[in-house]
Amino acid sequence: MEKKDGFLRIDWLKKGIMAECVLVVVLAAIALGKAGESAARDSASSHVLSIENDYIKWVDFTVSYEALCKAYEWDVETHGTEHEVDWVELLAYTAAKTGGEFGKDALKTMEKAAEKLSEGEITMEELAGDLKYYGYYREAYDAAIGGLVGEYWEETPDAGGNPSEENRGETVDGGSAPSEENREIEQIREGTETAGKQKGIGRTETDSISAGDAQAGNPDIGERDGCIKKYGLKGYFPLARGFDYTHYDDFGAGRSYGYKRKHLGHDMMGLVGTPIIAVESGVVEALGWNQYGGWRIGIRSFDGKRYYYYAHLRQNYPYAEGLEEGSVVTAGDVIGYMGHTGYSTTENVNNIKVVHLHWGLQLIFDESQKEGNNEIWIDVYPLTRFLAKHTQAAVKVEGTKEWRRTNQIMDPAVEAYEAGNSEKSKTPAREDFLENNHIVGNEPEQ
């Protein structure tokens, strides 16, 4: 009897130990789950923004090229349907769910959400209702990319005297750049086609897209002054179509001229004289010499949220003819020419070793952030790759150093701004070249 009782006690002891082990595993799983949720919340908080005094103080724009493409496709495909998917909202929802990460799992999350939204199974308000940081991401991403997609009118091929296909611009031969330091693109052979070969990433992402596909929009029936109404990407790649370039993600790299600092933009290496294209429509807010950026242009979006910075422009002839402060530019306009000026307190000096365009994007939620310690500059490398979907060809103006876009668009944002600011807005004068506009700005570089 005693032996039997002993066996029973041992059996119960074993069961008790097993139960404790199971309980420990369950508690550990719960703890890990909570830790994961906490980590995601912390990640969201650190990745995106800090909000003080009712405006955003910091944005870490981590949206990948793949995520930009997917969200954009959903936006365009559902435009005009009963259940439209807004690409900014879709990206914001994904970021709020993943803490700003955009890997493969995030893309799956975004895809599932887009499917439900497009089928009317749920609204974005319902989908994002319990996500603490959705509102933050929505405002931040709208500031970063909100002006790049929308309706616009595009000139039809036979309207407005577009140049013939064989005379649309010039391309640079593939291979190494010329050895002469200041060799101009105008000296390169003329009369070649615009579908020039791009190097590296630029080649696969620009040349693989046809001129029609590049507009990525849904044309509506009807015309306006020889134009077709479209919806899609109305922002442009910052270099004219067909001109050779190389680039890589160099945001945050160290710089030492003047003082140690981080690189707050994106460099695109090419040849002197490559036409620089306005990424988005806006107003020229800064023009002239900056000791870091050399000859540079600053363009502010009409909503005031984005400041586009183009630096190290060409010596002696940096800008498109007639461009001045206050000029209103349309996305796709030629605004200047690539060079390597800068790193000098003396104007018009080539002190940058490698010819390139530095372009940066500053987000502004409060005017106090325009200049000072609270400036927000984001990494635009993925955005640059994305914009390669929409390039603008340029043609050389005979007998000059000027280049002009070959395909005109009418941007409703330009028309709305000019209608409300008729006395303030200026269009670039096409008569005299402003060569002596010497304004020293405070843009960081470079």
Side-chain angles (χ1 to χ4, degrees):
M1 187 68 179
E2 291 180 1
K3 288 184 178 181
K4 186 177 180 180
D5 292 341
F7 285 131
L8 287 172
R9 284 195 296 270
I10 293 172
D11 186 51
W12 280 107
L13 182 60
K14 288 181 178 179
K15 290 180 179 179
I17 293 173
M18 289 179 65
E20 288 180 1
C21 290
V22 171
L23 181 61
V24 168
V25 170
V26 171
L27 290 174
I30 293 172
L32 286 173
K34 290 183 178 179
E37 292 176 2
S38 177
R41 288 193 299 270
D42 292 343
S43 178
S45 178
S46 62
H47 259 297
V48 187
L49 16 111
S50 113
I51 296 184
E52 299 174 17
N53 301 327
D54 298 325
Y55 64 89
I56 294 173
K57 293 295 183 70
W58 181 250
V59 177
D60 191 4
F61 190 73
T62 56
V63 182
S64 67
Y65 164 73
E66 292 78 11
L68 287 168
C69 291
K70 286 291 184 182
Y72 172 67
E73 288 169 6
W74 276 107
D75 189 307
V76 172
E77 288 175 7
T78 60
H79 179 70
T81 66
E82 184 179 357
H83 305 291
E84 295 184 341
V85 177
D86 183 291
W87 77 313
V88 175
E89 292 181 353
L90 185 58
L91 290 168
Y93 165 78
T94 305
K97 286 283 287 186
T98 65
E101 299 295 335
F102 283 91
K104 292 182 179 180
D105 290 340
L107 293 178
K108 292 179 182 178
T109 297
M110 183 168 68
E111 195 74 13
K112 289 180 181 178
E115 289 175 356
K116 290 182 179 180
L117 290 167
S118 64
E119 293 171 3
E121 294 181 11
I122 195 170
T123 65
M124 180 55 75
E125 289 74 16
E126 295 169 338
L127 198 61
D130 61 345
L131 294 176
K132 181 178 179 181
Y133 293 101
Y134 170 75
Y136 297 163
Y137 280 106
R138 177 68 179 81
E139 185 177 354
Y141 288 1
D142 183 64
I145 59 176
L148 299 179
V149 172
E151 291 184 344
Y152 61 98
W153 294 81
E154 183 181 59
E155 187 177 35
T156 54
D158 58 348
N162 275 349
S164 60
E165 195 65 37
E166 63 269 20
N167 291 321
R168 285 194 172 196
E170 300 175 334
T171 58
V172 181
D173 290 333
S176 60
S179 57
E180 295 85 2
E181 178 177 323
N182 291 317
R183 180 175 180 180
E184 301 284 350
I185 284 193
E186 288 84 356
Q187 295 174 307
I188 300 171
R189 63 189 176 96
E190 298 187 2
T192 54
E193 296 178 355
T194 58
K197 294 181 178 180
Q198 306 281 355
K199 285 186 176 181
I201 290 172
R203 179 175 183 174
T204 59
E205 290 167 6
T206 302
D207 294 348
S208 63
I209 300 171
S210 68
D213 292 338
Q215 307 310 318
N218 297 329
D220 296 333
I221 297 175
E223 294 189 0
R224 170 186 171 186
D225 299 329
C227 294
I228 299 175
K229 188 177 182 181
K230 291 192 172 184
Y231 177 87
L233 184 56
K234 62 179 182 177
Y236 283 85
F237 188 67
L239 303 181
R241 183 186 309 158
F243 289 86
D244 213 9
Y245 72 94
T246 58
H247 69 155
Y248 61 93
D249 194 352
D250 57 345
F251 186 82
R255 293 292 186 268
S256 59
Y257 172 78
Y259 60 97
K260 290 184 178 180
R261 63 202 180 280
K262 291 182 178 181
H263 187 230
L264 298 178
H266 181 59
D267 289 345
M268 304 182 71
M269 282 62 73
L271 295 177
V272 172
T274 296
I276 306 304
I277 302 298
V279 171
E280 184 183 348
S281 302
V283 181
V284 176
E285 197 169 80
L287 191 80
W289 183 262
N290 176 284
Q291 68 166 312
Y292 300 100
W295 294 121
R296 92 294 189 224
I297 303 171
I299 297 177
R300 190 80 168 264
S301 62
F302 295 128
D303 63 9
K305 297 177 181 179
R306 289 168 296 285
Y307 179 74
Y308 294 90
Y309 181 66
Y310 309 84
H312 306 312
L313 304 185
R314 179 172 57 183
Q315 187 182 50
N316 299 323
Y317 203 96
Y319 309 121
E321 185 176 301
L323 199 70
E324 59 179 280
E325 279 196 76
S327 294
V328 176
V329 299
T330 299
D333 283 352
V334 175
I335 56 174
Y337 304 96
M338 187 184 293
H340 53 125
T341 59
Y343 282 17
S344 173
T345 54
T346 303
E347 294 181 359
N348 205 33
V349 172
N350 284 327
N351 261 355
I352 302 294
K353 293 181 180 179
V354 179
V355 175
H356 70 279
L357 167 70
H358 166 103
W359 86 277
L361 179 55
Q362 181 185 10
L363 306 186
I364 302 169
F365 300 92
D366 184 85
E367 204 57 31
S368 65
Q369 296 175 307
K370 180 60 174 63
E371 295 178 358
N373 296 327
N374 293 324
E375 294 178 11
I376 302 174
W377 296 84
I378 63 173
D379 186 353
V380 294
Y381 175 68
L383 187 58
T384 304
R385 296 179 61 197
F386 173 72
L387 289 170
K389 291 177 176 293
H390 199 191
T391 60
Q392 174 62 248
V395 63
K396 190 171 182 292
V397 179
E398 187 176 355
T400 73
K401 291 187 175 184
E402 282 292 301
W403 290 71
R404 293 285 184 267
R405 67 186 298 162
T406 61
N407 182 258
Q408 300 294 329
I409 70 167
M410 284 185 282
D411 185 352
V414 173
E415 296 175 333
Y417 177 83
E418 291 183 330
N421 299 270
S422 57
E423 295 182 0
K424 297 180 181 179
S425 61
K426 306 175 187 176
T427 54
R430 299 301 181 186
E431 298 176 359
D432 300 318
F433 169 56
L434 268 179
E435 189 171 336
N436 299 312
N437 190 353
H438 307 323
I439 303 167
V440 177
N442 297 317
E443 294 93 342
E445 202 349 13
Q446 266 48 254

